[in-house]
DNA sequence: CGTTATCTTGATAAGTCTCAATGCAAGTGG
DNA sequence: CCACTTGCATTGAGACTTATCAAGATAACG
């Protein structure tokens, strides 16, 4: 319980220490690990990622955390959605992003409030299915396919910017289980791991059979 | 695999056999078990429940189903959201509901597209946390609190309209596990079960400690 | 009063978490 | 250039939780 308090305190401090985004519409860079401090009133505001990878983190009561999404270039997320559950947005790797007003005329296409909420709803809904009745192997297969689609447009060479614990918190598994299932997929010949970060999909159809 | 095919076929047939909602804005009744046939093009359309209880069901590839939400009087859900994942809306108990156009001026307050999507996003996001790192006991505690809030405005007497398998499909557990944890909560003195459907919350604070 | 559906309980097997140790690679200071 | 540290990733062993299969209890209903 004390540890829990400490972790929460550390979390609060980290959030407080992180720098603000600055003015609207201005692109900002984030160093690895840096926490994006969202404005108090986020109504109507959204963040668009232009480079790198961010994670949306939610602290749980037992001291663990849940990553509800990774954000890649082109992704947009509403600030209010993140704040509603004490979430923070943190840089997984060196990143760039822009805070903007969804109701402003210069927000760009597909960035109006209904558009952003619609796409977010679809994304979150997908995660309900991901977390529901899938076992570790199925979750990991689905994850790799998702990363392939989002990071390399469906290509078989994917470089994962996030760590094993990050993947674990995203799939709601322990890092060890993630690791074991990576190993198993390699042993089964479905993927290859040239490095811990680099994944080569050898048998996409099999992965889809498992993960869908 | 054959069973799977049969179940899917049965599902399709059931959907086809169910009656359509009829014209927009007209309230319709549903008998227990009846499936609501959503219009092919659901863009901009939503369903508002006025009486009873409906469930949003999604068939899984292995023949099981996932219930992504229960709908009670006052609840609104977008048709496109349900159709996007092959979902159906089925009556858990005798129910009434109205199909309406979210963009129409007479849709009523808090029923515009952004409003509906915002509230749905919050609801689905909550389910991600429900399904993520919670064990069976925690899920059931959270479920009972949710039902108390939604069905009896936070009161301690709740009459659950849905069956144990329905609850199981909602929490992504087996019916047996749901049942065992009901029994356990009773044994621990946190709830009482005057009947299978009726739940009395005896120790709300303890339930919240477990479920939050 | 029998029939049927649903709920509950029991035993076993499978999957995942936890704790612990080991392996590996990048960076650091001598 | 090399030992050392440090942070991840991986592997192993055991405990615990949940699913599955099977049987029994209860309640609804004609």
């Amino acid at each position: 319980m004390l540890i829990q308090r400490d972790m929460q305190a550390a979390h609060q401090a980290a959030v407080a220490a992180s720098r603000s985004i600055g003015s609207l519409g201005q692109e900002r860079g984030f160093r690895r690990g840096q926490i994006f401090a969202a404005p108090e009133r986020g109504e109507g505001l959204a963040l668009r990622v232009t480079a790198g990878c961010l994670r949306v983190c939610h602290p749980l009561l037992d001291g663990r955390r849940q990553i509800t999404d990774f954000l890649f270039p082109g992704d947009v997320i509403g600030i209010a959605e993140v704040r509603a559950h004490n979430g923070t947005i943190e840089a997984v790797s060196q990143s760039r992003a822009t805070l903007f007003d969804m109701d402003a005329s210069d927000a760009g296409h597909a960035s109006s409030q209904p558009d952003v909420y619609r796409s977010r709803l679809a994304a979150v809904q997908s995660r309900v299915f991901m977390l529901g009745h899938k076992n570790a192997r199925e979750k990991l297969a689905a994850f790799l396919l998702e990363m392939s689609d989002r990071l390399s447009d469906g290509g078989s060479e994917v470089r994962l910017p996030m760590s094993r614990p990050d993947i674990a918190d995203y799939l709601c598994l322990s890092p060890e289980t993630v690791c074991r299932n990576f190993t198993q997929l390699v042993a089964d010949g479905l993927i290859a791991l040239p490095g811990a970060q680099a994944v080569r999909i050898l048998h996409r159809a099999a992965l889809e059979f498992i993960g869908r």
Side-chain angles (χ1 to χ4, degrees), chain A:
Chain A
M1 194 63 96
L2 232 166
I3 297 169
Q4 196 171 317
R5 278 276 172 73
D6 283 349
M7 288 192 62
Q8 292 213 347
H11 182 260
Q12 300 296 344
V15 172
S18 68
R19 297 152 63 194
S20 165
I21 183 78
S23 55
L24 250 58
Q26 183 183 345
E27 192 178 17
R28 277 263 340 253
F30 297 93
R31 293 183 307 278
R32 191 165 179 275
Q34 188 175 354
I35 298 177
F36 163 59
E40 279 300 322
R41 300 300 298 164
E43 310 299 335
L45 297 185
L47 192 71
R48 179 187 292 113
V49 179
T50 51
C53 171
L54 302 170
R55 62 183 176 226
V56 183
C57 296
H58 296 262
L60 302 179
L61 294 178
D62 60 359
R64 291 185 296 187
R65 65 172 185 172
Q66 188 156 348
I67 293 179
T68 53
D69 216 342
F70 292 108
L71 304 175
F72 303 117
D75 291 340
V76 173
I77 191 167
I79 297 302
E81 174 192 343
V82 177
R83 297 192 63 86
H85 299 274
N86 298 316
T88 55
I89 302 176
E90 308 173 9
V92 170
S93 59
Q94 182 79 10
S95 304
R96 301 193 68 78
T98 308
L99 186 69
F100 68 97
D101 183 346
M102 288 184 276
D103 296 325
S105 55
D106 62 342
H109 58 293
S111 291
S112 69
Q113 275 210 47
D115 288 329
V116 171
Y117 281 123
R118 235 193 313 268
S119 76
R120 286 301 305 162
L121 181 55
V124 178
Q125 187 67 266
S126 298
R127 284 190 56 64
V128 169
F129 291 108
M130 163 91 97
L131 297 176
H133 284 291
K134 282 190 167 66
N135 64 23
R137 184 180 174 83
E138 293 163 349
K139 284 179 180 177
L140 189 55
F143 171 76
L144 292 176
L145 290 169
E146 183 193 342
M147 290 302 115
S148 164
D149 288 342
R150 294 175 67 184
L151 280 172
S152 71
D153 203 27
S156 59
E157 301 281 341
V158 188
R159 182 183 161 71
L160 303 175
M162 70 291 287
S163 68
R164 294 288 187 272
D166 278 351
I167 297 172
D169 289 341
Y170 182 64
L171 301 179
C172 296
L173 296 169
S174 70
E176 293 93 335
T177 297
V178 169
C179 198
R180 279 184 245 273
N181 281 276
F182 261 115
T183 304
Q184 194 58 51
L185 289 178
V186 171
D188 295 343
L190 303 192
I191 64 171
L193 290 178
Q197 311 275 82
V199 178
R200 187 197 321 272
I201 295 176
L202 299 177
H203 200 335
R204 170 172 288 262
L207 272 190
E208 283 171 352
F209 184 80
I210 295 172
R212 300 274 177 234

